[in-house]
Amino acid sequence: MLSLRQLQQFLAVTETMSFRRAAERLNMAQPPLTSAIRQMEEELGVRLLERTNRIIALTEAGRVLREEARRTLAQAARAETLTRRAGQGISGSLRIGFVASAVRHLLPELVVRFRRSHPEVLLDLTEMPTGRQTEALLEDRLDIGIVVLPLPSNADKLIATHVVLKSQLVAALPKQHALASKSAKPLPLAALAHEPWILFPGHEGPGLQAGILAACAEAGFAPQVAQRAVQMETILGLVAAELGVALVPALFGVTGWDRVAFRPLRGPGTPIDYRLALAWRKNDSSAALAAFLTSAGAHRSARPRR
């Protein structure tokens, strides 16, 4: 089988049609180059060049080899480039999970920034709640997630996180509700003690639900759950339908829900933090992951934040 070096030598000869000039281009003596071409002809069992004291023309076999040599060397160069880029996190793929609340306020910025600097990395994005993302990360079905903190305690030793957005939970009330005052005065969390609540299933966002329940307990009550929904947008839709009250991130209060009033909270149990974070396996050595974390301003050695 011909080596890449032999193909390079042959191309230099065909492009200059001179052993002397080809040898100068290759920075080698002429006799070894002439011997190399003869050895190629012997290996292949064909004549590649028509020559007397000088090269006159390529044979048909020589023309075929010239084209194939160009393709082979170009592919070899491409393989080398792509391998280097993969090692630098510039190619490959990333499986990214994200909570729905990140779609409007965080995901587009992270994705656009990364794709501009790493256009050859294939992104496979899947919407899923924090609980499912945690399982998928631990089972190597995701490379990185955008989750709501805190994560379940059993994930702390294996998953690192980096907070990328901070907010606080506020009360979301039907517009016609008696507590939906137009004033911006904070509402005591305890004022919601006797209201029907819309809450997400505990297994979908265990850390956040635990924080809400703990806040309510500190305020002296347990919420009466009337409806459950997974996505914050769905929860707000149910609030707009006057099916109950809910706690949602303050950032949703600027997105235009005409039939929903948003009230900041005060008193025992408040404030209730809402933190979106990047999450990834601590033992993941993927270059593409490292590149994404760098693009997002995170670092692979980040630790869970509380």
Side-chain angles (χ1 to χ4, degrees):
M1 181 180 295
L2 298 180
S3 68
L4 294 179
R5 177 61 176 169
Q6 286 175 304
L7 295 179
Q8 289 171 337
Q9 291 171 336
F10 179 69
L11 277 183
V13 171
T14 63
E15 289 170 356
T16 61
M17 295 301 285
S18 165
F19 283 108
R20 179 182 59 80
R21 290 196 297 271
E24 291 174 353
R25 176 188 294 186
L26 295 168
N27 195 28
M28 63 185 295
Q30 181 177 331
L33 177 59
T34 303
S35 297
I37 299 301
R38 285 181 179 146
Q39 183 180 347
M40 291 177 63
E41 291 178 322
E42 291 174 3
E43 288 183 30
L44 295 171
V46 297
R47 289 181 61 82
L48 299 172
L49 303 170
E50 296 288 354
R51 59 187 182 271
T52 53
N53 293 330
R54 61 184 181 83
I55 299 173
I56 299 174
L58 293 174
T59 64
E60 180 62 25
R63 286 191 290 271
V64 170
L65 181 59
R66 179 182 59 188
E67 296 308 311
E68 294 303 320
R70 286 171 176 168
R71 292 192 184 96
T72 300
L73 291 173
Q75 180 60 35
R78 181 175 183 274
E80 183 177 325
T81 298
L82 291 178
T83 300
R84 284 202 181 101
R85 290 173 69 84
Q88 299 166 358
I90 305 176
S91 65
S93 63
L94 274 179
R95 300 163 297 175
I96 304 175
F98 60 93
V99 292
S101 56
V103 172
R104 185 176 301 185
H105 305 281
L106 182 63
L107 183 67
E109 176 185 350
L110 293 178
V111 169
V112 168
R113 185 189 310 162
F114 182 71
R115 284 179 59 82
R116 284 176 178 167
S117 57
H118 300 81
E120 293 186 24
V121 176
L122 176 64
L123 301 183
D124 180 6
L125 293 100
T126 305
E127 178 188 327
M128 59 177 74
T130 295
R132 294 184 209 172
Q133 286 192 62
T134 303
E135 294 174 1
L137 284 167
L138 294 175
E139 295 171 4
D140 193 16
R141 291 184 285 110
L142 281 182
D143 300 308
I144 190 166
I146 303 176
V147 301
V148 179
L149 295 181
L151 297 181
S153 58
N154 65 338
D156 283 355
K157 293 183 179 179
L158 300 174
I159 296 179
T161 61
H162 175 82
V163 176
V164 286
L165 188 150
K166 295 181 180 180
S167 184
Q168 290 183 352
L169 296 186
V170 298
L173 308 145
K175 198 75 168 184
Q176 303 304 316
H177 194 284
L179 296 175
S181 169
K182 293 182 180 180
S183 71
K185 292 181 180 179
L187 180 73
L189 179 59
L192 304 177
H194 303 293
E195 300 294 331
W197 277 58
I198 301 166
L199 199 59
F200 45 86
H203 63 278
E204 303 288 19
L208 181 59
Q209 188 194 62
I212 291 175
L213 296 180
C216 292
E218 187 177 340
F221 72 97
Q224 303 173 18
V225 180
Q227 301 285 336
R228 292 191 183 274
V230 175
Q231 313 299 355
M232 288 292 180
E233 298 273 353
T234 305
I235 289 174
L236 284 170
L238 296 179
V239 172
E242 302 184 2
L243 294 176
V245 302
L247 299 187
V248 300
L251 50 87
F252 279 93
V254 297
T255 56
W257 285 85
D258 294 338
R259 301 178 66 87
V260 179
F262 299 90
R263 294 284 303 276
L265 297 169
R266 64 177 175 85
T270 67
I272 309 171
D273 290 333
Y274 181 84
R275 297 172 296 161
L276 287 176
L278 299 178
W280 65 96
R281 289 182 305 281
K282 293 180 181 179
N283 64 355
D284 192 335
S285 59
S286 162
L289 171 63
F292 188 90
L293 293 175
T294 299
S295 173
H299 191 275
R300 193 195 295 273
S301 63
R303 291 294 183 266
R305 301 187 181 184
R306 300 195 177 278

